[in-house]
Amino acid sequence: MFSVKKMAAALSGLLLGCSASAAKLAIVIDDFGYRPQQENQVLQMPNAISVAVLPTAPHAREMATKAHQRGHEVLIHLPMAPLSKQPLERDTLQPEMSSEEIARIIHNAVSNVPYAVGMNNHMGSKMTSSLPGMQKVMQVLDHYNFYFLDSMTIGNSQATRAAAGTSVKVIKRRVFLDDNQNEAEIRKQFTRAVHLAQRNGSAIAIGHPHPSTVRVLQQMLPNLPADVTLVRPSQLLNEPQIIRPTLPPPPSKAAPKPRNPFHGVAVCPLPQPVAPVPATQALTVIKESIEQSTLVKKIGSLF
Ligand SMILES: [Zn+2]
């Protein structure tokens, strides 16, 4: 017979055991290939920090190779069409492009960014919200065995739907670290990413090689809470993708600052507000994620 005391001890043991390795945080630094000086500072950081390289950037091959040699995971940061009018990288994917054209662009990107194992979108609010457009992308990625990290530059991204029927795994960015390049704001976003990882089990944050982002990461990475582990995005491919309703940010009178001051590099647009999930649907998602959690299964098996 299981005494109440023993059962309580078993449960607290389970809780402790889970919290010891509960939170996984992946950090990806985008827009690599234009600023080797700052990018080299990123490559000095723990090699669980991953980098996403713009395939037509002048230092794409060099930085991808260096990142790989230092043990960092490499992604292709593929330019995709935004809804807003702004300067575009060469070979930016458009929804109306043919499958052949998209295959050619991705093929070139793969040869310019050696060692890549995944892809994420640079900008892309127009392209990623197009189901037919993203289906063409996923068909090509299927051949390369790549995962797709959805940068979530728009709430109604179709990347996950478009990957249905292919072997491409889709994971999603939760936090942008440096929409605002003020160091205090970046610290706040970093802390938000840590809390999301602790609450949900995992989180993916995306930043850029800005001097202020580099400084904040240098300060904060050595002081991560003990229950948070830095991981590569490829280590999160089998994590449950928890969807929670996200409230749109409060309206701001000030025009958003460009996220990327690099000369000649188009910036990622600010993410569009995510459409709120109806309360009933949100409850179902939360209930499902609770039911699927290992802890609940373990507790269930005790009774
Ligand atoms: Zn970008």
Side-chain angles (χ1 to χ4, degrees), residues 30-31 77 122 208 268:
D30 275 357
D31 292 353
H77 192 43
H122 171 70
H208 299 81
C268 291

Side-chain angles (χ1 to χ4, degrees), residues 85-300:
K85 277 219 161 104
Q86 48 187 307
L88 298 181
E89 291 282 304
R90 181 155 48 90
D91 278 348
T92 292
L93 293 190
Q94 304 281 348
E96 59 278 8
M97 281 178 171
S98 67
S99 294
E100 291 71 30
E101 179 74 345
I102 289 176
R104 180 193 66 78
I105 290 172
I106 293 178
H107 177 80
N108 288 344
V110 171
S111 59
N112 285 345
V113 184
Y115 308 109
V117 294
M119 174 178 285
N120 76 332
N121 51 299
H122 171 70
M123 310 197 293
S125 49
K126 182 178 178 195
M127 182 71 191
T128 59
S129 57
S130 161
L131 181 59
M134 289 311 288
Q135 280 170 332
K136 288 177 257 183
V137 173
M138 295 302 173
Q139 294 295 336
V140 178
L141 293 189
D142 206 6
H143 292 293
Y144 289 99
N145 204 19
F146 278 176
Y147 66 83
F148 186 77
L149 164 59
D150 192 342
S151 306
M152 292 301 293
T153 53
I154 189 159
N156 72 337
S157 170
Q158 299 297 308
T160 303
R161 276 182 75 193
T166 73
S167 64
V168 182
K169 294 197 170 174
V170 179
I171 47 179
K172 293 178 183 179
R173 184 274 316 165
R174 291 301 305 271
V175 174
F176 274 127
L177 294 175
D178 48 15
D179 280 345
N180 182 329
Q181 289 173 40
N182 173 290
E183 280 188 39
E185 286 301 316
I186 300 172
R187 269 195 292 276
K188 224 186 259 175
Q189 290 297 92
F190 185 93
T191 305
R192 208 178 133 233
V194 167
H195 289 160
L196 281 169
Q198 287 172 321
R199 196 178 72 176
N200 298 337
S202 66
I204 302 174
I206 289 182
H208 299 81
H210 303 308
S212 50
T213 310
V214 169
R215 276 195 298 274
V216 169
L217 289 175
Q218 284 169 339
Q219 289 161 7
M220 298 196 78
L221 287 174
N223 301 311
L224 270 181
D227 64 334
V228 177
T229 310
L230 274 184
V231 297
R232 298 166 170 81
S234 63
Q235 291 171 271
L236 299 179
L237 299 180
N238 297 315
E239 293 287 306
Q241 297 294 300
I242 297 169
I243 306 156
R244 285 172 195 276
T246 308
L247 294 175
S252 161
K253 280 176 197 150
K257 279 186 190 164
R259 192 187 289 152
N260 185 343
F262 302 174
H263 194 68
V265 185
V267 298
C268 291
L270 290 175
Q272 308 280 321
V274 177
V277 178
T280 46
Q281 192 187 332
L283 281 176
T284 312
V285 170
I286 292 164
K287 182 172 162 282
E288 278 167 7
S289 71
I290 290 170
E291 281 169 0
Q292 282 162 15
S293 90
T294 319
L295 178 59
V296 169
K297 280 183 190 154
K298 279 183 186 164
I299 293 170

Side-chain angles (χ1 to χ4, degrees), residues 1-147:
M1 268 292 273
F2 221 104
S3 76
V4 175
K5 250 187 180 176
K6 275 184 182 170
M7 197 179 291
L11 281 174
S12 68
L14 276 173
L15 286 168
L16 283 173
C18 287
S19 69
S21 60
K24 296 177 194 163
L25 175 64
I27 297 177
V28 177
I29 305 300
D30 275 357
D31 292 353
F32 253 57
Y34 278 96
R35 284 277 182 102
Q37 198 192 337
Q38 265 127 34
E39 293 161 14
N40 279 327
Q41 290 180 297
V42 172
L43 297 185
Q44 303 291 331
M45 293 178 193
N47 63 12
I49 300 285
S50 304
V51 304
V53 182
L54 283 160
T56 57
H59 301 280
R61 179 176 295 276
E62 168 199 341
M63 295 316 295
T65 305
K66 231 179 196 178
H68 173 78
Q69 283 167 349
R70 292 179 186 223
H72 299 267
E73 186 158 299
V74 176
L75 293 88
I76 295 173
H77 192 43
L78 199 69
M80 297 195 186
L83 289 167
S84 56
K85 277 219 161 104
Q86 48 187 307
L88 298 181
E89 291 282 304
R90 181 155 48 90
D91 278 348
T92 292
L93 293 190
Q94 304 281 348
E96 59 278 8
M97 281 178 171
S98 67
S99 294
E100 291 71 30
E101 179 74 345
I102 289 176
R104 180 193 66 78
I105 290 172
I106 293 178
H107 177 80
N108 288 344
V110 171
S111 59
N112 285 345
V113 184
Y115 308 109
V117 294
M119 174 178 285
N120 76 332
N121 51 299
H122 171 70
M123 310 197 293
S125 49
K126 182 178 178 195
M127 182 71 191
T128 59
S129 57
S130 161
L131 181 59
M134 289 311 288
Q135 280 170 332
K136 288 177 257 183
V137 173
M138 295 302 173
Q139 294 295 336
V140 178
L141 293 189
D142 206 6
H143 292 293
Y144 289 99
N145 204 19
F146 278 176
Y147 66 83

